[in-house]
Amino acid sequence: QLQLVESGGGLVQPGGSLRLSCTASGSVSRFYAIGWFRQAPGKEREGLSCIGRDGTVTNYRDSMKGRFTISRDSGKNTAYLQMSSLTPDDTAIYLCAAAIDPSLRACTPAIDKGQYQHWGQGTQVTVSS
């Protein structure tokens, strides 16, 4: 069972930046695409970005392009989400998830949460002055 642990959340002022980390257990994580999602109170979980198992494929939700950057370090079994120009609307629980990715097709522009089999517990991001 692949386990994912997010970290890096916290309180940040509007306009600030944060880098979230998603660390996977075991070297098998290299077979998985990683997606980042968020869920605000009373709202649907939405896909933000994803990265294919070898890092060559990335996709972003349109509204995140230019503000969020996804990356991964296979040697550390860790994926990252660098977030900048944060606003109070970005306040949410941020979760990472893993999708088996044998053909480098799991990371799609739709960033569909239904495609992801393993989920972390999430990390809270609060943007407030």
Side-chain angles (χ1 to χ4, degrees):
Q1 179 80 4
L2 186 69
Q3 293 185 327
L4 304 172
V5 178
E6 302 93 338
S7 60
L11 175 65
V12 62
Q13 292 188 338
S17 300
L18 277 177
R19 189 179 77 159
L20 305 182
S21 299
C22 171
T23 301
S25 61
S27 60
V28 294
S29 61
R30 68 181 184 276
F31 298 119
Y32 288 81
I34 299 295
W36 281 100
F37 299 79
R38 70 183 182 188
Q39 188 161 18
K43 293 188 177 181
E44 291 285 321
R45 185 171 297 184
E46 61 179 1
L48 305 174
S49 183
C50 62
I51 186 166
R53 62 176 171 79
D54 66 355
T56 60
V57 177
T58 60
N59 282 291
Y60 296 90
R61 189 180 187 88
D62 284 347
S63 57
M64 305 303 156
K65 290 179 181 177
R67 291 200 305 131
F68 290 7
T69 303
I70 194 169
S71 61
R72 69 189 297 165
D73 183 338
S74 295
K76 296 182 179 180
N77 296 325
T78 300
Y80 304 96
L81 186 68
Q82 178 69 47
M83 307 186 296
S84 62
S85 302
L86 291 166
T87 74
D89 287 342
D90 294 312
T91 295
I93 295 174
Y94 284 69
L95 308 98
C96 67
I100 191 71
D101 194 18
S103 303
L104 284 173
R105 295 177 182 175
C107 173
T108 67
I111 315 174
D112 179 5
K113 58 183 180 292
Q115 286 189 290
Y116 291 79
Q117 299 90 26
H118 305 280
W119 290 83
Q121 294 297 308
T123 185
Q124 177 70 45
V125 172
T126 302
V127 185
S128 175
S129 56

